[in-house]
Amino acid sequence: MSTYLFRLSRFSFRRRRLVLALWLLAAVGAILLGQLSGGKTNDNFTIPGTESQHVSDLLVKKVPALSGAQTQVVFAAPVGSNISAEPYKSGVEAALANLKKVPQVVSVSDPYTAHAVSPDGRVALGQVQYSVAAAQVKDASLDDVKTAVKPAQQAGVQVEYSGSVYPGWRLVPSEAPELIGLVIAFVILVITFGALVTAGLPILTAIIGVVITLMGVTAVAAVVDIASASTTVAIMLGLSCGIDYGLFILSRHRNNLLNGLSVEDSAALAAGTAGSSVVFAALTVIIALCGLSVVGIPFLTVMGLSAAAAVLMAMLIALTLLPAMLGFAGHKVTKFIDTPLRRGHHEQVATIGATAPQRTFGARWARFVVRFRVPMLIAGVAFLVVLAIPYWSMQLGLPSGSSKPTSDTSRKAYDLTTASFGAGFNGPLLVVADGVSGSADTQQILGRLEKVPGVDTASVAVQTPQTVVFRLIPKTGPNDPATADLVHGIRNQRAAVEGSTGATVLVGGTTASNIDVSSKLNSALPVFLVVVVGLAFILLTFAFRTILVPIKSIIGFLLSVLAALGAQVAIFQWGWGRHIFGITPSETISFLPILMLAIIFGLSSDYEVFVVSRIKEEFSKSDDARGAVESGTGLAARVVTAAALIMFSIFVAFMFTNDPTIKAIGFSFATGVLLDAFVVRLTLVPAVMAIIRSKLWYHPQWFAKYVPDPDIEGNRLQETFHPVPEAAPAPPTA
């Protein structure tokens, strides 16, 4: 493989104008295609194969009046006042009359006639039913909802909203996290390389890849439903992987230049050696992201495929466009910044790293780890295990109003409803009885539902000749485990509820849908692990030609991801970070663990490949296993450190939002990257490899005979390619 990548990069270098033109043409074409297609991401959410989805499909066919989105409008009189007294009642009734005129609204329930006034008399609940799903409710309609309730507000009534859609429910994407992440990444690269051109190239090429991917995703969104979150994940991974892959190749290129090679030979050799590691690292990330397809939830499948496309684009650009850009840059990549206080410092550090790597801080750290390998292994594992302890008390669920900031209208609506009605009114269930033959059957089913343990109230929402929809209020909140037990209990005792009516009873609604998502994700997690880890195990075994490296990699990944999830539980679920991050303690987002497993597994494989490939390269030269661990880890430490800090900064940048869900995702990813890079790959991996030594590289003879060697370390390339140095290597300065 290294020979083919060498030839590809040399072609890109020599035909750099053509390569650059083709990539720019691809970017312009993708932008035009994305804009002309009219494609837009949306928030259509389906979970095929679940009962709640069956209920949703049934309502569309038989009770279309309840198949659309809903807004629950909470009217609250001042403390100590009654919402049924004047002038509050007149204001509320005027607001209800206005709401019926809002476009896309098909019905509005009157809380005074629907017995939806709280026992304390302070709060009334109005239901606004739309004719379309939440994703199709126009912003203009939601603006009209806000205008419609002004008579109530003018009468002194507090108005708040919740439900599947409500004014302000859509989060306007902000470019601030990406910009902050790019600025921090540039600063890290400037510190790492000490040269502006060298720092800017990986960012420039990564941006081109992200633009092409996003415009391509937008074009596909014209014909396929693509979740809005897909673009966020694609940007995060496209930028971070694009910068990392460019950083890995560019670091080798600059070292080659400082060792006296010509620009062309240096660029081709860097892509031929480091490029193999980039390919295998990218493939493991792509496998992990595509593995989200096994979950069976369309929005996760599309999210994984979109992010995988971004990583694939980052890999292709690193192997073709980056060598072309190195041709344009020439020797400018070794033009260092000369700071007034420390003149020549950056050039001195770079020269030592290229010509005397044993003197770098990374090499000193590697020697320290190898010398105290057993204590470092014990301490590192113990640290990760302690961090992972909270993981075992993780509670999964999807965000509700209770997890929103106290300034959010859905949080205010949740608190008002809970205080005046009870937590269960925030998450009503829809029980559909299909095949009902008359009112006697309806009353029989209603009576049985009212007697189910955990049910507060049950009422008939809509009745048609054959189908009846019951509105069931649990005694507990939407994310309470008792509510999930109630849903499963009704389903498990379906025959008892149906009785002799001959009807089919199904449980659905937003709360049941959230419970089904969590259940489906939990059941899919083992399958996902087996598929993704199994495929990655095969790939890494092929790359390193030994079974122990992938086993070590997978164990290290499991330790780091469990520790990161444990930290997330402590900060966001237990509430240790409520004052630091301005959050309300809530359950862990149900899809976070599987996203963590996919993304952190892919990124941890990146660092594993970067570190172990350098160790294998050194071992193939010296045949000294322990010395190879020291020198290989030292050579990879600076690049892995910079790459991990860039990933960390990009993920942390997404914590500077008001959405607690995005905060939790950003924190979890950032923590996972930090732990995996510094604790696992730069500490535990060299410690284990120093303990096992040369036995780590053992493989049976049949393996060497029948499985081709991909030459990930580039040994065969370096044996056949003997470049003539342009100049003598620069001597390292003290």
Side-chain angles (χ1 to χ4, degrees):
M1 175 181 290
S2 58
T3 303
Y4 294 115
L5 294 177
F6 174 85
R7 294 172 182 171
L8 176 63
S9 60
R10 171 161 278 184
F11 171 84
S12 300
F13 184 95
R14 291 176 175 175
R15 301 293 181 89
R16 48 187 174 275
R17 290 180 176 81
L18 173 63
V19 172
L20 177 60
L22 289 175
W23 277 110
L24 291 179
L25 183 63
V28 172
I31 292 172
L32 291 176
L33 185 63
Q35 295 297 319
L36 296 177
S37 67
K40 290 184 178 180
T41 57
N42 57 57
D43 294 296
N44 289 335
F45 190 80
T46 59
I47 40 175
T50 60
E51 185 167 319
S52 55
Q53 186 63 46
H54 186 191
V55 169
S56 179
D57 296 338
L58 187 65
L59 290 177
V60 171
K61 294 179 181 178
K62 298 193 173 183
V63 193
L66 286 181
S67 63
Q70 287 185 333
T71 297
Q72 182 163 277
V73 185
V74 180
F75 299 98
V79 177
S81 302
N82 195 305
I83 196 66
S84 299
E86 296 296 340
Y88 310 124
K89 184 176 182 180
S90 297
V92 171
E93 290 178 335
L96 295 172
N98 291 341
L99 286 171
K100 295 178 181 178
K101 302 175 185 177
V102 173
Q104 298 184 294
V105 171
V106 292
S107 65
V108 177
S109 68
D110 187 333
Y112 299 108
T113 59
H115 308 291
V117 177
S118 62
D120 61 7
R122 186 193 171 203
V123 177
L125 302 180
Q127 294 287 335
V128 178
Q129 182 69 47
Y130 299 90
S131 59
V132 293
Q136 279 75 50
V137 177
K138 298 178 181 178
D139 289 337
S141 297
L142 297 178
D143 291 338
D144 290 342
V145 168
K146 293 178 66 175
T147 303
V149 301
K150 284 186 177 179
Q153 293 173 326
Q154 291 170 353
V157 176
Q158 179 184 356
V159 181
E160 306 296 345
Y161 313 94
S162 63
S164 59
V165 60
Y166 54 88
W169 80 294
R170 285 192 178 95
L171 290 175
V172 179
S174 172
E175 292 78 18
E178 291 90 339
L179 294 176
I180 293 172
L182 286 176
V183 171
I184 297 175
F186 182 74
V187 172
I188 292 172
L189 289 173
V190 169
I191 295 172
T192 301
F193 287 116
L196 295 177
V197 173
T198 313
L201 278 178
I203 295 177
L204 176 62
T205 54
I207 290 174
I208 293 174
V210 167
V211 168
I212 294 174
T213 303
L214 288 184
M215 290 298 101
V217 169
T218 302
V220 174
V223 293
V224 177
D225 283 340
I226 295 181
S228 303
S230 300
T231 56
T232 301
V233 177
I235 290 173
M236 282 196 295
L237 288 180
L239 284 178
S240 53
C241 288
I243 294 173
D244 281 2
Y245 299 158
L247 169 65
F248 198 53
I249 294 175
L250 190 53
S251 177
R252 293 290 288 259
H253 169 64
R254 197 180 67 165
N255 284 350
N256 291 340
L257 286 180
L258 292 174
N259 278 304
L261 270 64
S262 67
V263 177
E264 179 178 335
D265 288 343
S266 172
L269 188 60
T273 51
S276 298
S277 300
V278 167
V279 169
F280 280 98
L283 288 178
T284 52
V285 179
I286 292 170
I287 287 174
L289 292 171
C290 291
L292 290 172
S293 303
V294 305
V295 178
I297 298 179
F299 98 93
L300 276 180
T301 299
V302 173
M303 180 185 297
L305 294 177
S306 301
V311 175
L312 177 62
M313 193 63 61
M315 180 191 75
L316 294 176
I317 281 182
L319 297 176
T320 56
L321 181 58
L322 182 60
M325 298 300 289
L326 294 179
F328 288 111
H331 284 282
K332 291 180 181 178
V333 296
T334 56
K335 187 176 182 181
F336 300 95
I337 302 172
D338 203 9
T339 54
L341 297 179
R342 304 186 71 181
R343 295 190 179 279
H345 171 71
H346 294 295
E347 183 175 2
Q348 175 185 336
V349 171
T351 303
I352 291 175
T355 59
Q358 69 278 6
R359 292 169 50 188
T360 62
F361 177 79
R364 291 197 295 271
W365 171 253
R367 289 193 293 270
F368 175 81
V369 171
V370 170
R371 181 181 178 185
F372 300 101
R373 49 195 174 276
V374 175
M376 293 297 289
L377 178 62
I378 295 173
V381 171
F383 174 67
L384 294 176
V385 168
V386 170
L387 281 181
I389 290 174
Y391 167 80
W392 305 107
S393 63
M394 179 184 292
Q395 295 178 356
L396 298 179
L398 288 178
S400 65
S402 62
S403 62
K404 297 288 186 180
T406 53
S407 59
D408 190 273
T409 182
S410 65
R411 171 64 183 276
K412 295 177 182 178
Y414 187 97
D415 292 342
L416 287 170
T417 303
T418 300
S420 296
F421 288 91
F425 279 79
N426 290 293
L429 302 174
L430 292 182
V431 179
V432 179
D434 189 34
V436 176
S437 57
S439 59
D441 289 349
T442 300
Q443 293 304 314
Q444 180 181 346
I445 294 174
L446 179 62
R448 292 174 184 269
L449 287 174
E450 289 176 334
K451 296 178 182 178
V452 174
V455 173
D456 189 337
T457 62
S459 59
V460 177
V462 173
Q463 183 166 4
T464 66
Q466 290 188 334
T467 305
V468 180
V469 180
F470 301 93
R471 190 168 183 264
L472 190 150
I473 305 297
K475 292 181 179 179
T476 49
N479 289 323
D480 195 303
T483 304
D485 294 339
L486 171 62
V487 171
H488 297 311
I490 296 175
R491 290 171 176 173
N492 294 335
Q493 302 174 14
R494 200 186 312 271
V497 176
E498 294 168 351
S500 59
T501 62
T504 301
V505 171
L506 302 170
V507 183
T510 302
T511 300
S513 176
N514 292 346
I515 292 170
D516 286 344
V517 169
S518 299
S519 178
K520 189 162 187 174
L521 287 169
N522 280 335
S523 61
L525 197 56
V527 179
F528 171 80
L529 268 177
V530 170
V531 172
V532 172
V533 172
L535 290 174
F537 176 82
I538 294 172
L539 182 66
L540 292 175
T541 301
F542 171 70
F544 292 109
R545 304 179 65 73
T546 173
I547 196 174
L548 294 179
V549 167
I551 290 176
K552 169 183 60 61
S553 174
I554 291 167
I555 293 174
F557 150 73
L558 290 175
L559 284 173
S560 58
V561 78
L562 288 176
L565 287 172
Q568 189 276 150
V569 170
I571 296 296
F572 289 86
Q573 185 177 306
W574 291 359
W576 290 6
R578 71 178 71 190
H579 301 300
I580 300 173
F581 300 116
I583 55 159
T584 301
S586 63
E587 65 286 337
T588 298
I589 308 152
S590 56
F591 56 81
L592 178 59
I594 204 162
L595 274 182
M596 282 278 290
L597 288 174
I599 293 175
I600 300 302
F601 179 73
L603 298 181
S604 71
S605 299
D606 279 4
Y607 305 140
E608 176 78 6
V609 171
F610 291 171
V611 173
V612 178
S613 63
R614 290 311 296 261
I615 295 175
K616 186 180 181 185
E617 182 179 343
E618 294 300 307
F619 177 70
S620 63
K621 294 177 182 177
S622 64
D623 207 31
D624 176 9
R626 195 163 287 171
V629 171
E630 294 181 356
S631 56
T633 304
L635 288 167
R638 189 172 182 85
V639 175
V640 170
T641 298
L645 289 178
I646 289 170
M647 289 271 192
F648 175 79
S649 61
I650 289 176
F651 291 146
V652 165
F654 282 86
M655 294 181 62
F656 294 94
T657 65
N658 294 324
D659 188 349
T661 300
I662 300 298
K663 283 185 177 182
I665 292 174
F667 173 84
S668 302
F669 287 178
T671 305
V673 165
L674 209 63
L675 293 175
D676 196 87
F678 295 107
V679 179
V680 176
R681 307 305 157 186
L682 292 179
T683 304
L684 298 184
V685 165
V688 170
M689 295 182 74
I691 292 172
I692 302 177
R693 295 195 288 186
S694 59
K695 294 179 181 178
L696 187 79
W697 305 110
Y698 168 78
H699 57 262
Q701 292 183 353
W702 65 264
F703 192 91
K705 182 177 179 181
Y706 294 108
V707 179
D709 184 359
D711 191 29
I712 189 173
E713 67 278 3
N715 280 338
R716 289 202 297 269
L717 172 62
Q718 297 186 64
E719 289 173 0
T720 57
F721 177 63
H722 302 286
V724 178
E726 275 190 337
T733 54

Coordinates of all heavy atoms in Angstrom, one line a residue, residues 625-654:
A625 N 12.4 -4.6 20.9 CA 11.0 -4.4 21.1 C 10.8 -3.2 22.1 O 10.0 -2.3 21.9 CB 10.3 -5.6 21.7
R626 N 11.6 -3.3 23.2 CA 11.4 -2.2 24.2 C 11.9 -0.9 23.8 O 11.3 0.2 24.0 CB 12.1 -2.7 25.5 CG 11.7 -1.8 26.8 CD 12.0 -2.6 28.0 NE 11.1 -3.7 28.3 CZ 11.3 -4.6 29.2 NH1 12.4 -4.5 30.0 NH2 10.5 -5.6 29.4
G627 N 13.1 -0.9 23.1 CA 13.6 0.3 22.5 C 12.7 0.9 21.5 O 12.6 2.1 21.3
A628 N 12.0 0.0 20.7 CA 11.1 0.5 19.7 C 9.9 1.2 20.3 O 9.3 2.2 19.8 CB 10.6 -0.6 18.8
V629 N 9.4 0.7 21.5 CA 8.3 1.4 22.2 C 8.7 2.8 22.6 O 8.0 3.7 22.4 CB 7.9 0.5 23.4 CG1 6.9 1.3 24.3 CG2 7.3 -0.8 23.0
E630 N 9.9 2.9 23.1 CA 10.4 4.2 23.6 C 10.5 5.2 22.4 O 10.0 6.3 22.4 CB 11.8 4.1 24.2 CG 11.7 3.3 25.6 CD 13.1 3.3 26.2 OE1 14.1 3.7 25.6 OE2 13.2 2.7 27.3
S631 N 11.2 4.8 21.3 CA 11.5 5.7 20.2 C 10.2 5.9 19.4 O 9.9 7.1 19.0 CB 12.5 5.1 19.3 OG 12.2 3.8 18.8
G632 N 9.4 4.9 19.2 CA 8.1 5.0 18.4 C 7.1 5.9 19.1 O 6.5 6.8 18.5
T633 N 6.9 5.7 20.4 CA 6.0 6.5 21.2 C 6.5 8.0 21.2 O 5.7 8.9 21.1 CB 5.9 6.0 22.6 OG1 5.5 4.6 22.6 CG2 4.9 6.8 23.4
G634 N 7.8 8.2 21.4 CA 8.4 9.5 21.3 C 8.1 10.2 20.0 O 7.8 11.4 20.0
L635 N 8.3 9.5 18.9 CA 8.1 10.1 17.6 C 6.6 10.5 17.4 O 6.3 11.4 16.7 CB 8.6 9.1 16.5 CG 10.1 9.0 16.4 CD1 10.4 7.8 15.5 CD2 10.7 10.3 15.8
A636 N 5.7 9.6 17.9 CA 4.3 9.9 17.7 C 3.6 10.8 18.7 O 2.5 11.3 18.4 CB 3.5 8.5 17.7
A637 N 4.3 11.0 19.8 CA 3.7 11.7 20.9 C 3.2 13.1 20.6 O 2.1 13.6 20.9 CB 4.6 11.8 22.1
R638 N 4.1 13.9 19.9 CA 3.8 15.3 19.6 C 2.6 15.4 18.6 O 1.7 16.2 18.8 CB 5.0 16.0 19.0 CG 4.9 17.5 18.8 CD 6.2 18.1 18.4 NE 6.1 19.6 18.3 CZ 6.3 20.4 19.3 NH1 6.5 19.9 20.5 NH2 6.2 21.7 19.2
V639 N 2.6 14.5 17.6 CA 1.5 14.6 16.6 C 0.2 14.1 17.3 O -0.9 14.8 17.1 CB 1.8 13.7 15.4 CG1 0.6 13.6 14.5 CG2 3.0 14.2 14.7
V640 N 0.2 13.0 18.1 CA -1.0 12.6 18.7 C -1.5 13.6 19.7 O -2.7 13.8 19.9 CB -0.7 11.2 19.4 CG1 -1.9 10.8 20.3 CG2 -0.5 10.1 18.4
T641 N -0.6 14.2 20.5 CA -1.0 15.3 21.4 C -1.7 16.4 20.7 O -2.8 16.9 21.1 CB 0.3 15.8 22.2 OG1 0.8 14.8 22.9 CG2 -0.1 16.9 23.1
A642 N -1.1 16.9 19.6 CA -1.7 18.0 18.9 C -3.1 17.6 18.3 O -4.1 18.3 18.4 CB -0.8 18.4 17.7
A643 N -3.1 16.3 17.7 CA -4.4 15.8 17.1 C -5.5 15.7 18.2 O -6.6 16.1 18.0 CB -4.1 14.5 16.5
A644 N -5.1 15.2 19.4 CA -6.1 15.0 20.4 C -6.6 16.4 21.0 O -7.8 16.5 21.2 CB -5.5 14.2 21.6
L645 N -5.7 17.3 21.1 CA -6.1 18.6 21.6 C -7.0 19.3 20.6 O -7.9 20.1 21.0 CB -4.8 19.5 21.9 CG -4.0 19.0 23.1 CD1 -2.8 19.9 23.3 CD2 -4.9 19.1 24.4
I646 N -6.7 19.1 19.3 CA -7.6 19.7 18.3 C -9.0 19.1 18.4 O -10.0 19.8 18.4 CB -7.0 19.5 16.9 CG1 -5.7 20.4 16.7 CG2 -8.0 19.8 15.8 CD1 -4.9 20.1 15.5
M647 N -9.1 17.8 18.4 CA -10.3 17.1 18.6 C -11.0 17.6 19.9 O -12.2 17.9 19.9 CB -10.1 15.6 18.7 CG -9.7 14.9 17.5 SD -11.1 14.4 16.5 CE -10.3 13.3 15.3
F648 N -10.3 17.7 21.0 CA -10.9 18.1 22.2 C -11.4 19.5 22.1 O -12.5 19.8 22.6 CB -9.8 18.0 23.3 CG -10.2 18.6 24.6 CD1 -10.9 17.8 25.5 CD2 -9.8 19.9 25.0 CE1 -11.3 18.3 26.7 CE2 -10.1 20.4 26.3 CZ -10.9 19.6 27.1
S649 N -10.7 20.4 21.5 CA -11.1 21.8 21.4 C -12.4 21.9 20.5 O -13.3 22.7 20.8 CB -10.0 22.7 20.9 OG -9.6 22.3 19.6
I650 N -12.4 21.2 19.5 CA -13.6 21.2 18.6 C -14.9 20.7 19.3 O -15.9 21.3 19.3 CB -13.4 20.4 17.3 CG1 -12.4 21.2 16.4 CG2 -14.7 20.2 16.5 CD1 -12.0 20.4 15.2
F651 N -14.7 19.6 20.1 CA -15.8 19.1 20.8 C -16.2 20.0 22.0 O -17.4 20.2 22.2 CB -15.5 17.7 21.4 CG -15.4 16.6 20.3 CD1 -14.5 15.6 20.4 CD2 -16.2 16.7 19.2 CE1 -14.4 14.6 19.5 CE2 -16.1 15.7 18.2 CZ -15.2 14.7 18.3
V652 N -15.3 20.6 22.7 CA -15.6 21.5 23.8 C -16.3 22.7 23.3 O -17.2 23.3 23.9 CB -14.3 21.9 24.5 CG1 -14.5 23.1 25.4 CG2 -13.8 20.7 25.4
A653 N -15.9 23.2 22.1 CA -16.6 24.4 21.5 C -18.1 24.2 21.4 O -18.9 25.2 21.5 CB -16.0 24.7 20.1
F654 N -18.6 22.9 21.2 CA -20.0 22.7 21.1 C -20.7 22.7 22.5 O -21.9 22.6 22.6 CB -20.3 21.3 20.5 CG -20.1 21.4 19.0 CD1 -18.8 21.2 18.4 CD2 -21.2 21.6 18.1 CE1 -18.7 21.3 17.0 CE2 -21.0 21.7 16.8 CZ -19.8 21.5 16.2

